[in-house]
Amino acid sequence: MITALEFFQKGEFTTIPQLMIEFAQMHVQEALKKADEKATVTPIDHEEISEGSWRPIWGVDSDSILNAYPLTNIK
């Protein structure tokens, strides 16, 4: 991932808002890719499927998504 300075130096931007939007879009796209790669599922509850027999209810582990793309990647 390139820094804001590198992004600025390689781009052809006509306005500061355009620069900011495109830099943010680049990081959001990368963050979504990382979240997709690192998301994990975990049992969050269970349900009875017959008397005495249970099965897990699965959900996405929020921390696996929230920690997938550290803010330190944005420089």
Side-chain angles (χ1 to χ4, degrees):
M1 188 55 50
I2 63 175
T3 66
L5 180 58
E6 293 166 336
F7 188 76
F8 174 74
Q9 290 172 338
K10 80 172 216 163
E12 295 180 15
F13 306 101
T14 56
T15 66
I16 297 297
Q18 178 191 11
L19 166 74
M20 295 172 67
I21 289 167
E22 291 186 28
F23 187 70
Q25 287 173 340
M26 178 184 67
H27 274 283
V28 168
Q29 288 173 345
E30 187 63 24
L32 290 171
K33 287 179 194 172
K34 293 295 181 188
D36 180 50
E37 293 170 8
K38 296 185 178 212
T40 59
V41 293
T42 185
I44 58 171
D45 205 350
H46 59 275
E47 66 180 342
E48 189 170 17
I49 55 175
S50 62
E51 190 170 330
S53 182
W54 300 84
R55 72 173 169 202
I57 298 172
W58 297 91
V60 176
D61 177 17
S62 296
D63 287 336
S64 70
I65 292 173
L66 296 174
N67 296 322
Y69 193 77
L71 294 178
T72 56
N73 286 356
I74 303 172
K75 299 176 183 173

